[in-house]
Amino acid sequence: MQHPPLDSIRNIGIISHIDAGKTTVSERILFYTGESHRIGEVHDGEAVMDWMPQEQERGITITSTATVCRWGGCRINLIDTPGHIDFTIEVERSLRVLDGAVAVFSAVEGVQPQSESVWRQADRYRVPRICFINKMDRVGADYRETIRQIEEKLGARPVLLQIPSGAEASFAGVVDLIAEEFLTFSEADQGRIVERHPIPAEIAEEARAARETMIEAAADFDDAILADFLEGAPITPERIRGALRKGTIACRIFPVFMGTALRNKGIQPLLDAVAAYLPSPRDVPPVIGQRPESDIVDTLLCDPAGPLCALAYKVQSDEGRKLSYLRIYSGTVKAGGALWNSTRGCFEKAARLFRMHAHKREQIDEALAGDIVAVAGLKEVLTGDTLCNPTHKVILEGLTVPEPVVALAVEPKGVDDRDKLLPALEKLQWEDPTFRVHEDEETGQTILTGMGELHLEVVTDRLEREFGVQVKTGRPQVVYRETITRPAERQEVFRTEFEGKVQGGEVHLRLTPLHRGDGVRIVVPPAEVLGITRELHSAITDSLTRGSSTGCVTGYPLTDLEVRVTAVPTEPGITTETGVRAAAGRGLMHTARDAAPTLLEPLMNLEIITPGEYAGKVLGSVQQKRGRVEGIVSQGSTEVIRALVPLSEMFGYMTELRSATKGRGSFTMEFSRFDQAPVAVLQQFGLG
Ligand SMILES: Nc1nc2c(ncn2[C@@H]2O[C@H](COP(=O)(O)OP(=O)(O)OP(=O)(O)O)[C@@H](O)[C@H]2O)c(=O)[nH]1
């Protein structure tokens, strides 16, 4: 198969709040690009991109799905991501490897809480974006309000490249402000034909003003445009697009398009915009790789002839074997070839390579820099690992993985299930770094931890369907965090005798409380400063890192504190790695106990949408749950309530809200921060 030129590749994702219409947009994209022959609807459980049975039943996206399509001379590698915050790792890993994104907003709900969080995630990875305001056909659609919210809530600079004609049921099409044409979409054949007309007189003035603003934005990236504009000289569409492309790739402007995916309006111009404004792999800055065990930093250009460097951004269990998704940054991967896994320090074999079309695959012989492909045969790989050439070893920055906040105890139902449980859980962990498994030391129970109730519900459902393991589950529990409330210091000395030889270690520690949200900061001065060997240094660092993840008093992970090593006195012949490891671990535990430990509980940002008549009842229940109401906004006949609530009060809220609103209310919730747990919880752990 011929490889397309690098400039024509677009690695893009679709991101948004749950239900804004990502999957519906993706399905249209596949249809108009000829990848699928009919439109699969989310509400019929038929979306190609939502291929997991759980996704089709629930009508939500759970896993990010990769597929390929072609448009306007470009090859688009498209990733549809979930909106539900429980599956945020899917968004994180996709944004880590994407070059650009389409942010979908609902014209009715505007910028919702998760639109904000995915936008911030995209900011973190500096992913250029174009915006699509969807659902222009729905009652209450208001693109101006959405634009205002993009400016205000996201602090971004949206630039309208279209304006609509009509809204709600009378939404007819869009004006292309660059071509100065009015576009409609043939109703008879699912919007396949884009019809071009002169701009209707009633919106001509609005279009002229919007075009002027757009040209002013373009002029910020091309001085000559401004001069021509002021002189009234003609400016070609190509020049305007070129300037807007520059601004978009620099993440300084965000071109805005609109339509209704469900009614098949506005998707082809969005595809044109993906090709015109979003970057190719060559347009994004080179990736930075660190040489293992050294301070040398490599800059890798997107070049198929360069040294191989790829990131395994997703590992999927495929009939018990690993199917790994790679973003190739430099070099070429060949089927059957060997790769060096520099994160794990071992060779891996790329037995077979595939281009993915949702869950269908096309086998290929090689894949080049700039591409996103799947590979079978890697055995050791885990999400976030770097694969490279053994003669040019580098490690890329991995993923930021959020900490789990909900725990669930599971017990196998039968003897058969007992044998299958742990291997199945291990495979599910390959896929999902936010899903963890451990054994409760006191009860011996298997505890699953994850991002939310739904996340763990999907995991237990998959255990049964995919691995044939039946489990009984307990009630979901909150995963608390342990922190300290005052500074403490300690000189921990450890001694033991093993086979007649004394092993020892001494570590001096100082613990200081940090601000909420700061996490754990472990500070071990360089080996030379402490006057110890590199081996002792890494034993201490490792012991403190492990110790902080299991907590000191309650077994919950530590957070919001600094752990500083102030001295490591050594005695020749006595100080050993085992000795300092033990001294550091015990020292951390003892010092934390002296530092007035307490527990923090996860607080969630809650957004409830309810018909006005039930708002009072819903508000009352939020307050009963120790919720702090932060705002109530009326949107027509519905009320949007925003509140901060402790997660521990929110289990089973879906059922409660449905019954309070006769099934008409809905809510979304996302992690906000950890904060002081109430006295009742502290007492439960002997801290009150
Ligand atoms: N009226 C109207 N409804 C739409 C439009 N686009 C999508 N929908 C509906 O909105 C609902 C959510 O659409 P999805 O495409 O599943 O949204 P999503 O963002 O992928 O949702 P998650 O995958 O769960 O995050 C579905 O019932 C769609 O049929 C639109 O343009 N107009």
Coordinates of all heavy atoms in Angstrom, one line a residue, residues 16-25 41-43 50 59-61 80-84 134-138 259-263, ligand 1:
S16 N -15.5 16.2 23.9 CA -16.6 17.1 24.4 C -17.2 16.5 25.7 O -16.8 15.5 26.2 CB -17.7 17.1 23.4 OG -18.5 16.0 23.5
H17 N -18.2 17.3 26.2 CA -19.0 16.8 27.3 C -19.8 15.6 26.9 O -20.1 15.5 25.7 CB -19.9 18.0 27.7 CG -20.8 17.8 28.9 ND1 -20.3 18.1 30.1 CD2 -22.0 17.3 29.0 CE1 -21.3 17.9 31.0 NE2 -22.3 17.3 30.3
I18 N -20.2 14.8 27.8 CA -21.0 13.7 27.5 C -22.3 14.1 26.8 O -22.9 15.2 27.1 CB -21.4 12.9 28.8 CG1 -22.1 11.6 28.5 CG2 -22.2 13.7 29.8 CD1 -22.0 10.6 29.7
D19 N -22.7 13.4 25.8 CA -24.0 13.7 25.0 C -24.0 14.9 24.1 O -25.0 15.3 23.6 CB -25.1 13.9 26.0 CG -25.8 12.5 26.3 OD1 -25.4 11.5 25.7 OD2 -26.8 12.5 27.0
A20 N -22.8 15.6 24.0 CA -22.8 16.7 23.1 C -23.0 16.3 21.6 O -23.4 17.1 20.7 CB -21.6 17.6 23.2
G21 N -22.6 15.0 21.3 CA -22.8 14.5 20.0 C -21.5 14.0 19.3 O -21.5 13.9 18.1
K22 N -20.5 13.7 20.1 CA -19.3 13.2 19.4 C -19.5 12.0 18.5 O -19.0 12.0 17.4 CB -18.2 12.8 20.5 CG -17.6 13.9 21.3 CD -16.7 13.3 22.4 CE -17.5 12.4 23.4 NZ -18.5 13.0 24.1
T23 N -20.2 11.0 19.1 CA -20.3 9.8 18.3 C -21.2 10.0 17.1 O -20.9 9.5 16.0 CB -20.9 8.7 19.2 OG1 -20.1 8.6 20.4 CG2 -21.0 7.4 18.5
T24 N -22.2 10.8 17.3 CA -23.1 11.1 16.1 C -22.3 11.9 15.0 O -22.4 11.6 13.8 CB -24.3 12.0 16.6 OG1 -24.9 11.3 17.7 CG2 -25.3 12.1 15.5
V25 N -21.4 12.8 15.4 CA -20.6 13.5 14.5 C -19.6 12.5 13.8 O -19.5 12.4 12.6 CB -19.7 14.6 15.2 CG1 -18.7 15.1 14.2 CG2 -20.6 15.7 15.6
E41 N -26.9 4.9 14.2 CA -27.3 5.9 15.2 C -27.0 5.4 16.6 O -27.3 4.3 16.9 CB -28.8 6.2 15.0 CG -29.2 6.9 13.7 CD -28.6 8.3 13.6 OE1 -27.8 8.8 14.4 OE2 -29.0 9.0 12.6
V42 N -26.6 6.4 17.5 CA -26.3 6.1 18.9 C -27.6 5.5 19.5 O -27.6 4.5 20.2 CB -25.9 7.3 19.6 CG1 -25.6 7.0 21.1 CG2 -24.6 7.9 19.0
H43 N -28.8 6.3 19.3 CA -30.0 5.9 20.0 C -30.5 4.5 19.5 O -31.4 4.0 20.2 CB -31.0 7.0 19.9 CG -31.3 7.5 18.6 ND1 -30.9 8.8 18.2 CD2 -31.9 6.9 17.5 CE1 -31.3 8.9 16.9 NE2 -31.9 7.8 16.5
D50 N -19.1 3.1 18.6 CA -19.4 2.5 19.9 C -19.7 1.0 19.7 O -20.8 0.6 19.7 CB -20.7 3.2 20.5 CG -20.5 4.6 21.0 OD1 -19.3 5.0 21.2 OD2 -21.4 5.3 21.4
G59 N -25.7 3.5 25.3 CA -25.7 4.7 24.4 C -24.6 5.7 24.8 O -24.8 6.9 24.6
I60 N -23.5 5.2 25.4 CA -22.4 6.1 25.7 C -21.1 5.5 25.2 O -21.0 4.3 25.0 CB -22.3 6.4 27.2 CG1 -22.0 5.0 27.9 CG2 -23.5 7.1 27.8 CD1 -21.5 5.2 29.3
T61 N -20.1 6.4 25.0 CA -18.8 5.9 24.6 C -18.0 5.6 25.8 O -18.0 6.3 26.8 CB -18.1 7.0 23.8 OG1 -19.0 7.4 22.7 CG2 -16.8 6.5 23.2
D80 N -12.5 8.7 18.4 CA -13.7 9.2 19.1 C -13.5 8.9 20.6 O -13.1 7.8 21.0 CB -14.9 8.4 18.6 CG -16.2 8.8 19.3 OD1 -16.3 9.9 19.8 OD2 -17.1 7.9 19.4
T81 N -13.7 9.9 21.5 CA -13.4 9.6 22.9 C -14.6 9.7 23.7 O -15.6 10.4 23.3 CB -12.4 10.7 23.4 OG1 -13.0 12.0 23.3 CG2 -11.1 10.7 22.7
P82 N -14.6 9.1 24.9 CA -15.8 9.2 25.8 C -15.9 10.6 26.4 O -14.9 11.3 26.6 CB -15.5 8.2 26.9 CG -14.2 7.5 26.6 CD -13.5 8.3 25.5
G83 N -17.2 10.9 26.8 CA -17.4 12.2 27.5 C -17.5 12.0 28.9 O -17.2 12.9 29.7
H84 N -17.9 10.8 29.3 CA -18.1 10.5 30.7 C -16.8 10.5 31.5 O -15.9 9.9 31.1 CB -18.8 9.2 30.9 CG -19.5 9.1 32.3 ND1 -18.7 8.9 33.4 CD2 -20.8 9.1 32.7 CE1 -19.6 8.9 34.5 NE2 -20.8 9.0 34.0
N134 N -22.9 21.9 17.8 CA -23.9 20.9 17.3 C -25.3 21.1 17.9 O -25.5 22.0 18.7 CB -23.4 19.5 17.8 CG -24.1 18.3 17.2 OD1 -24.6 18.4 16.0 ND2 -24.2 17.2 17.9
K135 N -26.2 20.4 17.4 CA -27.6 20.4 17.9 C -28.3 21.8 17.6 O -29.1 22.3 18.4 CB -27.7 20.1 19.4 CG -27.1 18.7 19.7 CD -27.5 18.2 21.1 CE -26.9 16.9 21.4 NZ -27.3 16.3 22.6
M136 N -27.9 22.4 16.5 CA -28.5 23.7 16.1 C -30.0 23.5 15.9 O -30.7 24.5 15.8 CB -27.8 24.3 14.9 CG -26.4 24.8 15.2 SD -26.5 26.3 16.3 CE -27.2 27.5 15.2
D137 N -30.5 22.3 15.7 CA -31.9 22.0 15.4 C -32.7 22.0 16.7 O -33.9 22.0 16.6 CB -32.0 20.7 14.7 CG -31.5 19.5 15.6 OD1 -30.4 19.7 16.1 OD2 -32.2 18.5 15.7
R138 N -32.1 21.9 17.9 CA -32.9 21.7 19.1 C -33.5 23.0 19.6 O -32.9 24.1 19.5 CB -32.0 21.1 20.2 CG -32.1 19.5 20.1 CD -31.4 18.9 21.3 NE -31.8 19.5 22.5 CZ -31.2 19.4 23.7 NH1 -30.1 18.6 23.7 NH2 -31.6 19.9 24.7
G259 N -23.7 23.2 13.1 CA -24.7 22.4 12.4 C -25.4 21.4 13.3 O -25.5 21.7 14.5
T260 N -26.0 20.4 12.7 CA -26.7 19.4 13.5 C -26.3 18.0 12.9 O -26.7 17.7 11.8 CB -28.2 19.6 13.6 OG1 -28.8 18.3 13.8 CG2 -28.8 20.3 12.3
A261 N -25.5 17.3 13.6 CA -25.1 16.0 13.1 C -26.3 15.1 12.9 O -26.4 14.4 11.9 CB -24.1 15.4 14.1
L262 N -27.2 15.1 13.9 CA -28.3 14.2 13.7 C -29.2 14.4 12.5 O -29.6 13.5 11.9 CB -29.2 14.3 15.0 CG -30.3 13.2 15.1 CD1 -29.7 11.9 15.3 CD2 -31.2 13.6 16.3
R263 N -29.3 15.7 12.1 CA -30.1 16.0 10.9 C -29.2 16.2 9.7 O -29.6 16.8 8.7 CB -30.9 17.3 11.1 CG -31.6 17.4 12.4 CD -33.1 17.1 12.3 NE -33.6 17.0 13.6 CZ -34.1 15.9 14.2 NH1 -34.1 14.8 13.5 NH2 -34.6 15.8 15.4
Ligands
LIG1 N1 -31.5 17.0 18.2 C1 -30.2 16.6 18.1 N2 -29.8 15.5 18.8 C2 -28.5 15.1 18.6 C3 -27.7 15.8 17.7 N3 -26.5 15.1 17.7 C4 -26.6 14.1 18.6 N4 -27.8 14.1 19.1 C5 -28.4 13.1 20.1 O1 -27.7 13.4 21.3 C6 -27.5 12.1 22.0 C7 -26.0 12.0 22.4 O2 -25.3 11.9 21.2 P1 -23.9 11.1 21.1 O3 -23.3 11.2 19.7 O4 -24.0 9.7 21.7 O5 -23.0 12.0 22.1 P2 -21.6 11.7 22.7 O6 -21.0 13.0 22.9 O7 -20.8 10.8 21.7 O8 -21.9 11.0 24.0 P3 -20.9 10.1 24.9 O9 -20.3 9.1 23.9 O10 -21.8 9.3 25.8 O11 -19.9 10.9 25.5 C8 -28.0 11.0 21.1 O12 -29.3 10.6 21.5 C9 -28.0 11.7 19.7 O13 -29.0 11.1 18.9 C10 -28.2 16.9 16.9 O14 -27.5 17.5 16.1 N5 -29.4 17.3 17.2

